[in-house]
Amino acid sequence: MRTTYRVLAWILALEVVVQAAAIAWALFGLSTWIQNGGVLDAAAMQAEPQFDGVVGFMVHGMNGTIIVPVVALLLLVVSFFAKLTRGVALAAALFLMVVAQVLLGMIAHAVPSLGMLHGALALAILVTAVMSARLTPAARTVDERTAAVV
């Protein structure tokens, strides 16, 4: 279970990187499209404009509302069986941060200034996920175990 805990925590950290990459791809693609004459207004939003990076919005949205919360929930469940010091506390904190992150992502469409908190919370999730992953050391090789005995 400790290995599962570690792997899920690293996956959660990686998911934050995927989220940042997806939204950056989408926004850079959108800005390039606009600089090349594209017009973004309500009609264009309903018509779903096509530009390099538009898929980044979909990846960011679906990944953030489905995959990231599932991984955080799995990490929380596994934390009870992994028996790691602070493991449950960190997993619970991550799950709560992910829930808040999803809510901020939804509410920020109506209150854009909350987008700053959404970005900052993503960094907190990344750091906490890495801390969680490092709670349990990676399995040692036979040579390392032998050296420790000598």
Side-chain angles (χ1 to χ4, degrees), residues 15-27 53-70 98-99 101-107 109 118:
E15 284 294 325
V16 174
V17 174
V18 168
Q19 287 295 91
I23 200 64
W25 178 34
L27 290 174
V54 73
V55 174
F57 286 117
M58 181 183 70
V59 170
H60 186 81
M62 291 179 69
N63 195 46
T65 57
I66 299 170
I67 297 172
V68 172
V70 166
V98 167
V99 169
Q101 184 73 337
V102 171
L103 292 174
L104 281 170
M106 293 175 182
I107 297 169
H109 290 281
H118 183 74

Side-chain angles (χ1 to χ4, degrees), residues 53-119:
V54 73
V55 174
F57 286 117
M58 181 183 70
V59 170
H60 186 81
M62 291 179 69
N63 195 46
T65 57
I66 299 170
I67 297 172
V68 172
V70 166
V71 172
L73 180 60
L74 287 172
L75 181 66
L76 180 59
V77 170
V78 168
S79 73
F80 290 104
F81 302 101
K83 306 260 191 268
L84 292 164
T85 305
R86 296 181 29 226
V88 173
L90 285 171
L94 277 166
F95 183 72
L96 290 174
M97 286 191 284
V98 167
V99 169
Q101 184 73 337
V102 171
L103 292 174
L104 281 170
M106 293 175 182
I107 297 169
H109 290 281
V111 185
S113 60
L114 290 177
M116 292 186 297
L117 187 54
H118 183 74

Side-chain angles (χ1 to χ4, degrees), residues 6-60:
R6 184 175 63 249
V7 168
L8 286 170
W10 280 121
I11 289 172
L12 191 55
L14 179 63
E15 284 294 325
V16 174
V17 174
V18 168
Q19 287 295 91
I23 200 64
W25 178 34
L27 290 174
F28 282 116
L30 177 62
S31 68
T32 300
W33 179 72
I34 291 171
Q35 289 172 354
N36 291 330
V39 176
L40 185 64
D41 58 9
M45 293 288 285
Q46 289 177 349
E48 297 180 11
Q50 295 300 313
F51 55 87
D52 182 31
V54 73
V55 174
F57 286 117
M58 181 183 70
V59 170
H60 186 81

Side-chain angles (χ1 to χ4, degrees), residues 107-139:
I107 297 169
H109 290 281
V111 185
S113 60
L114 290 177
M116 292 186 297
L117 187 54
H118 183 74
L121 186 54
L123 296 175
I125 292 170
L126 175 65
V127 168
T128 308
V130 170
M131 286 173 43
S132 296
R134 294 176 53 93
L135 278 181
T136 177

